[in-house]
Structure formats: structure tokens, C-alpha cells
Amino acid sequence: MVALHFSPDGWTPDSWRSLTARQQPEWPDEAALKRVHAELAGQPPLVFAGEARQLTGALGQAVEGRAFVLQAGDCAESFSEFGADSIRDKLKIILQMAVVLTYGAGLPVVKLGRIAGQFAKPRSSPTEEINGEILPSFRGHMVNDDLPTAEARRANPDRLVQAYQQSASTLNLLRAFTKGGFADLRQIHQWNQQFVASTDQGQRFEDIAQGIEAALSFMAACGINLTSEDTLHQVDFWTSHEALILEYEEALTRRDSISGDYYDCSAHMLWVGERTRNLDEAHIEFLAGIHNPVGSKIGPSATPAEVLALCERLNPERVPGRLTLITRFGVDKVADLLPPLLEAVRDEGHPVLWMCDPMHGNTFTAEGGRKTRKFTDVLGEVANFFAAHRQVGTWPGGVHIELTGDDVTECLGGIEDIGEDQLHLRYTTTCDPRLNASQALDLAFGIAELLRA
Ligand code: PEP
Ligand code: CO
């Protein structure tokens, strides 16, 4: 068990309230918000402190190069597209990717969903113009609705309760799937083989698929019972989301009866986004006192001094696995911007888990007005991230991906070579464009090749 005892002096779950809190909605009814806060504070935790400590330990392995992390899921979970099938399909693609990455890295892969709580979005502008009308921006289903009307866009605190309830049902199903047989290694491998067989380009990955096949046969030949061995059909699956709406995160923060420390029991891991990572503001204050593993996005403007200050603030006791930095520079900027940060952190001896988010620095608007990303940019940013780590002698600990198990047409390229003229066909995201299942698996095979190189 990893012991952490670092809540800063004077920290309380609500100490963020005296600081600037960016990206918070204007709740129209203060009394309703207070009622909702009290209701959430009385609900059971979604995760246990002991689980969060276990995850810190698993991420700590990845800091030291003994594991790789796959963090993946929707940009924004949706209240309207909620159902068992969509949760299953998202889990399925993450498990398929994880098997490929496990083989590629020759290391355990920590599976961390952007799921069961990823309902709030930071926006670059508080309003947007739709058909000539100025409306409040959509901030995620935890806050308001994405329909383009003034009524739908009003912040409604009852949505915090709905987000909690949907998170609880989602997590319940994930726990059942991952411990109840759905995560069987041979089954997942078969799904991957179907993918490899189904397309010409997929055959490029036959080497890896055959390697996995051979490994399974070898294990069976050694007398390992592939059916009864628990580790081959159950997996640990962890939840994470951006800790954006602090009203919600505070209400789900509990003091652990074993350690006496505070944990945000809305998810195993929480991160802050590029727009809310300012050192002397509310979001970092909140993360500094909870004992979960935490993360921060790091965009192109981050300086080595800023990154070191974040390390000191969020991980003063230098516990491996406590702090993840998720870089999201854009494919063309990694080679210049990442090495100085890696060197600074390495020289100070901070144990940081470095992850690559190859999505958020590579978004652009296609003709026709839809936000999209190119598959080649996504894989390209991961490749440049690996190269930067190789240059500095640090470990590229994982990747952070926006995807869905559905057959959407939101990102360009990949196995099916989706073009700009196809984006309108199945574009269902409520926020950023996601990789579809075959693009996600294509990416996993590509990353496995990088890991093996
Ligand atoms: C996100 O992860 O969906 C996001 C908004 O990222 P960032 O804070 O890096 O822009
Ligand atoms: Co996003």
C-alpha cells in the first residue's frame, strides 16, 4: 500500500472556494445548488480510497518503466446516448487496444477509462453563435444540454445528481464486465484477429497478432489453464475524468476511515485541464489536498519552471504514481517543446508519469464546419513523444485517447480512410471528434510497433 500524507496546511475540501475558479457555470439558483450539494454529500462514494491507493501503486510502476498506461474514452459522456451496449463497446475496444499494447510493450498495461464521470467540458468562450443567436456554450451534460436553445443551455444543478447516478450505473456495469468473464484474454485476442483479417491494411499487423497467438499456445503448452487462470479473464479497470466542476468534486470528497486522508470518491484518478491548471487558482488547490492519483494536462505554453512548480505543489512527497503529466502539444511541436520539460523534471528527480494526449493539440475545423483530427497526426504525435523520451532517456509512460466503440465518422483517415466528405455521415460527438473502434485499434497496433522498435 502506498502511504501519502500531504494535505497542505489549511486545506479543506472547500478551500478552493476562496480562489479564482475558472470554467464554472453560472448556476441560476443558489438555493437549488446548495440542496444538490447536500444531496450528493449524503450519497455513497463511487470508489473506495483503497482502490485509489492501488491505482497510485500501478501508475508508480509506469513511472519507473515497468508498465504502460492506456487512458481512453469519450471526450464527453452523454446523458442521451447512455446504455449497456455503448458502455460494453467502449470497454471492448479499450481491452482490445490494451492486449495489443501489452504485447508491444512486453509490460503490464494499466487500463484507465475516461468514463463514469467525464461529463463536464471547459470551453474557450462562454457563449457561441448558432444561426445568428448568441447562446451560452454547452458545458457537458453535468451542467446543461447541447441543444441550441436558450432554455437547454441554462445550467441546471439537478444535472449534477444525474451525472452521479449515471456514473454509478456505468461503474457497476464496468465492474461486472471486467470481473465477470467479458475480459477473457482469448476472447479479446479473437476480436483482434477478426479485425486483422477484415481489411487489407489490417494484415500489416498480422505479425503482432501471430505473436500473441504463439504466446497463448506457449502458455497452454506450459500447463497454464487459460480458462481457469484468473489473471487471463479478469482485469483491473479504473475510472478517471477531468475534475472541472468543483461543486461536484467537493461534494463527493470523503475522509478515509483507515488513513484519515481525504479522497475524491467520484473516480479513481482526476486530472485538471489545460485551461484550469494555474498554480494559484482553485482547481490546483483542490487537487493538492485529495489523495487520489492526480494529473494535469500540459499544453504548448508550459515552461519548465511552471512544470516543476506543479510537481512541487501536487507531489511534494515525490510519491511515484501520484502525479501524471499529460502533454498535448500538437504533432509539430513535440520535438521542440517536450525535451526541455523532460530534462527539467528528470534533473530535479521528480517521479512523473508522462503521458501523451495526441488528440487536443491536433484539432482543426474541416470545410463544412465540423471539428476533426487526422489519424496520421494522432499517431505522429505519439511517435514524436516516444522519440523525445528516447532522446532524453525518460520513459514514455502512456497515452490518453478520445475514442468510442461506435462506428462514427469524426476523425479523418485510418483503416477505412475516412475523408472530409464523409464526416457528416455519423458525427455524433457532443464535443470533440473521437477515434472510432477501427481507428482506435489501428492506433494501438501503430503504438505497439513503436514500443517494439
Ligand atoms: C479534454 O481532455 O477533453 C480537454 C478539454 O483537454 P485539454 O484540457 O487538454 O484541452
Ligand atoms: Co476533448
Side-chain angles (χ1 to χ4, degrees):
M1 188 164 82
V2 185
L4 308 171
H5 302 283
F6 50 72
S7 281
D9 287 345
W11 187 91
T12 54
D14 66 352
S15 54
W16 62 270
R17 288 180 185 268
S18 62
L19 301 170
T20 303
R22 289 179 200 264
Q23 299 283 341
Q24 304 306 289
E26 283 179 27
W27 301 107
D29 179 350
E30 189 63 30
L33 183 63
K34 283 216 166 81
R35 172 181 47 74
V36 160
H37 187 96
E39 184 178 343
L40 284 174
Q43 294 296 312
L46 293 174
V47 305
F48 292 117
E51 294 179 303
R53 283 192 288 270
Q54 272 180 32
L55 177 59
T56 300
L59 298 176
Q61 298 288 308
V63 173
E64 288 153 13
R66 292 198 299 267
F68 190 76
V69 183
L70 173 61
Q71 187 173 27
D74 268 312
C75 179
E77 287 175 273
S78 162
F79 284 178
S80 40
E81 281 180 27
F82 172 51
D85 290 357
S86 89
I87 297 168
R88 180 202 59 209
D89 292 344
K90 220 172 296 169
L91 176 65
K92 180 178 167 190
I93 193 65
I94 294 173
L95 294 176
Q96 285 183 261
M97 292 174 80
V99 166
V100 173
L101 293 173
T102 304
Y103 182 77
L107 293 170
V109 169
V110 181
K111 294 161 269 294
L112 185 55
R114 274 179 73 113
I115 198 167
Q118 177 54 27
F119 289 105
K121 299 313 301 172
R123 303 319 302 245
S124 359
S125 162
T127 56
E128 61 181 329
E129 189 180 329
I130 303 181
N131 303 328
E133 202 186 346
I134 307 284
L135 293 170
S137 294
F138 171 56
R139 290 182 178 275
H141 281 166
M142 183 186 277
V143 174
N144 58 7
D145 194 67
D146 50 305
L147 284 175
T149 68
E151 179 47 31
R153 294 293 173 89
R154 236 164 70 96
N156 175 359
D158 289 332
R159 288 176 167 271
L160 299 176
V161 177
Q162 196 176 340
Y164 167 83
Q165 286 162 346
Q166 185 166 320
S167 299
S169 333
T170 303
L171 188 50
N172 180 52
L173 196 59
L174 289 171
R175 291 187 192 276
F177 277 141
T178 51
K179 300 295 175 187
F182 186 73
D184 181 78
L185 177 59
R186 276 187 310 179
Q187 174 65 65
I188 299 167
H189 174 56
Q190 265 168 25
W191 293 327
N192 283 347
Q193 283 177 313
Q194 283 160 14
F195 166 79
V196 169
S198 68
T199 67
D200 289 347
Q201 295 95 322
Q203 289 181 10
R204 221 180 89 218
F205 302 125
E206 217 163 80
D207 259 9
I208 292 176
Q210 276 172 8
I212 297 172
E213 180 70 32
L216 287 171
S217 307
F218 178 71
M219 283 194 282
C222 292
I224 297 171
N225 186 329
L226 300 184
T227 317
S228 67
E229 173 62 38
D230 274 355
T231 51
L232 298 180
H233 58 108
Q234 294 187 359
V235 298
D236 288 329
F237 189 86
W238 313 95
T239 61
S240 67
H241 62 260
E242 177 174 349
L244 184 68
I245 306 299
L246 293 176
E247 195 72 46
Y248 179 80
E249 304 303 339
E250 178 197 322
L252 287 167
T253 297
R254 306 279 186 272
R255 196 188 265 271
D256 170 36
S257 59
I258 296 175
S259 62
D261 290 328
Y262 282 104
Y263 285 81
D264 179 351
C265 296
S266 70
H268 298 112
M269 187 259 194
L270 288 309
W271 78 86
V272 292
E274 172 66 1
R275 296 163 190 78
T276 50
R277 63 172 166 83
N278 299 311
L279 272 167
D280 46 7
E281 295 183 355
H283 288 81
I284 293 296
E285 167 67 14
F286 180 75
L287 284 202
I290 58 168
H291 287 65
N292 309 60
V294 297
S296 175
K297 293 289 193 80
I298 298 291
S301 69
T303 62
E306 244 171 57
V307 168
L308 289 178
L310 260 179
C311 294
E312 279 299 325
R313 185 76 198 286
L314 292 178
N315 194 11
E317 298 197 1
R318 304 191 174 203
V319 176
R322 156 70 179 170
L323 179 63
T324 300
L325 296 179
I326 307 161
T327 59
R328 30 88 83 219
F329 292 137
V331 60
D332 296 330
K333 300 201 176 111
V334 182
D336 289 337
L337 298 183
L338 184 55
L341 303 184
L342 299 179
E343 284 161 7
V345 169
R346 179 200 62 194
D347 294 348
E348 280 299 315
H350 271 290
V352 161
L353 169 59
W354 290 102
M355 295 198 23
C356 174
D357 165 359
M359 315 301 294
H360 290 90
N362 295 311
T363 317
F364 66 98
T365 304
E367 247 173 82
R370 286 195 165 78
K371 277 202 288 184
T372 190
R373 293 157 172 160
K374 289 184 190 159
F375 179 84
T376 46
D377 289 346
V378 171
L379 183 56
E381 179 153 354
V382 180
N384 293 344
F385 172 83
F386 273 71
H389 279 279
R390 198 163 300 133
Q391 181 193 322
V392 177
T394 44
W395 172 243
V399 289
H400 180 113
I401 307 295
E402 286 184 346
L403 55 74
T404 170
D406 304 333
D407 184 22
V408 299
T409 53
E410 298 171 5
C411 291
L412 303 169
I415 297 273
E416 291 153 352
D417 199 17
I418 294 169
E420 290 206 17
D421 57 336
Q422 290 164 288
L423 288 178
H424 70 281
L425 294 175
R426 291 178 301 283
Y427 193 98
T428 59
T429 183
T430 55
C431 195
D432 289 338
R434 304 158 295 177
L435 299 179
N436 64 27
S438 72
Q439 288 169 326
L441 204 49
D442 193 355
L443 179 67
F445 277 104
I447 299 173
E449 288 179 336
L450 291 169
L451 281 163
R452 275 150 56 95

